[in-house]
Amino acid sequence: MKVKILFFGLIEEALAVSNEEMFIREQTSLAEFTTSLVKKYPILSELNYQIAIDKELAPTKIVLKEGTEIALLPPFAGG
Amino acid sequence: MKNVFKKGAISSEFIGESIKKHQSKTSIGAHNIFLGQVRADTIDGKMVSAIEYSTYEEMANQKFHDIREAAFEKFELTCSHIYHSIGKVGVGEICLFVFVSAPHRKVVFEAIEFIVEQIKKEAPVFGKELFEDNTHVWKVNK
């Protein structure tokens, strides 16, 4: 199944990509997904970020669904 | 969903107009305003000349909406408005405008602090601090 990944700010800059789609197997948890993403982009292991699933900060045990939007958010700087 | 973001700096004219618009709401007895201004910080000997803001817009607008809703639940407010800049804002310019109004003064002091602190902590807004020599660092809220 297909999920959409969004990268912002410092993460977008470090990876030189703002978004991409990825095929993952059914029943993949966010933790498993993150592990595979770090394999693809090793620099992520050195960066500080939170993950939002469909626009909500999410626990790592959550199971991903077809079409899920996964966003990697670096530290906030609003205001 | 209301769009909180305005391209570039928030002008004093816009802020003035917002105040004027509330003069017809005669149940209001107290306003409070918070303005965030871009500071010329010195980082490793270089001075910041501007901040370039970016955001996860859909999530941020939802978050700003939730923050306003929480403020209405917590405090007896007549209205509350939030505007945040997107894109480049120079030092000395306004990047955040929070405006709360209520029948009486006490709650507006508490409400403005609550809203601003929630924004700093919860809104997915990112800021690149730009230096004159075209280099940059990424800002992090303390």
Side-chain angles (χ1 to χ4, degrees):
Chain A
M1 62 180 194
K2 197 161 71 176
V3 293
K4 188 176 182 189
I5 315 157
L6 305 175
F7 305 102
F8 291 96
L10 172 82
I11 307 288
E12 177 182 353
E13 183 179 84
L15 272 47
V17 57
S18 64
N19 66 84
E20 68 180 71
E21 287 180 338
M22 203 180 261
F23 287 91
I24 58 171
R25 61 173 176 74
E26 304 276 329
Q27 295 297 311
T28 301
S29 71
L30 179 55
E32 291 166 325
F33 167 80
T34 312
T35 306
S36 62
L37 197 65
V38 173
K39 251 183 212 155
K40 184 171 179 187
Y41 299 110
I43 195 167
L44 281 176
S45 62
E46 295 165 29
L47 301 173
N48 185 10
Y49 58 89
Q50 302 182 81
I51 294 184
I53 297 295
D54 292 331
K55 303 168 193 73
E56 291 278 350
L57 294 177
T60 54
K61 62 179 191 301
I62 199 170
V63 172
L64 304 176
K65 296 190 192 79
E66 166 76 29
T68 298
E69 189 172 281
I70 304 157
L72 273 70
L73 310 174
F76 300 163
Chain B
M1 190 68 55
K2 198 184 161 200
N3 182 22
V4 157
F5 293 100
K6 290 187 75 68
K7 189 126 184 71
I10 298 164
S11 70
S12 50
E13 290 77 17
F14 179 81
I15 296 163
E17 274 303 309
S18 299
I19 297 168
K20 196 170 159 190
K21 274 186 203 156
H22 286 75
Q23 293 179 319
S24 58
K25 296 191 176 185
T26 50
S27 65
I28 294 172
H31 297 298
N32 199 4
I33 284 174
F34 177 87
L35 301 174
Q37 176 168 300
V38 173
R39 194 174 51 231
D41 273 347
T42 302
I43 303 168
D44 294 333
K46 291 192 287 188
M47 203 189 280
V48 171
S49 62
I51 296 181
E52 191 176 325
Y53 289 103
S54 58
T55 185
Y56 181 8
E57 191 168 318
E58 291 169 310
M59 180 178 170
N61 276 322
Q62 179 64 53
K63 208 37 104 177
F64 282 116
H65 174 84
D66 295 347
I67 293 169
R68 287 180 64 238
E69 288 295 306
F72 277 115
E73 251 175 56
K74 242 172 129 69
F75 308 103
E76 200 198 317
L77 298 175
T78 310
C79 33
S80 96
H81 303 275
I82 305 171
Y83 299 95
H84 199 296
S85 293
I86 197 78
K88 205 164 154 180
V89 183
V91 293
E93 294 186 314
I94 303 300
C95 56
L96 172 65
F97 170 31
V98 182
F99 186 9
V100 297
S101 311
H104 302 287
R105 72 183 179 285
K106 268 206 168 141
V107 296
V108 297
F109 296 115
E110 293 171 32
I112 207 109
E113 184 173 9
F114 170 79
I115 292 172
V116 173
E117 291 307 314
Q118 290 291 112
I119 291 170
K120 294 259 176 195
K121 209 166 66 188
E122 309 245 333
V125 175
F126 317 104
K128 206 153 78 162
E129 293 181 303
L130 309 174
F131 302 111
E132 304 250 315
D133 64 358
N134 288 327
T135 58
H136 68 264
V137 292
W138 289 92
K139 182 174 177 269
V140 177
N141 278 345
K142 294 194 179 76

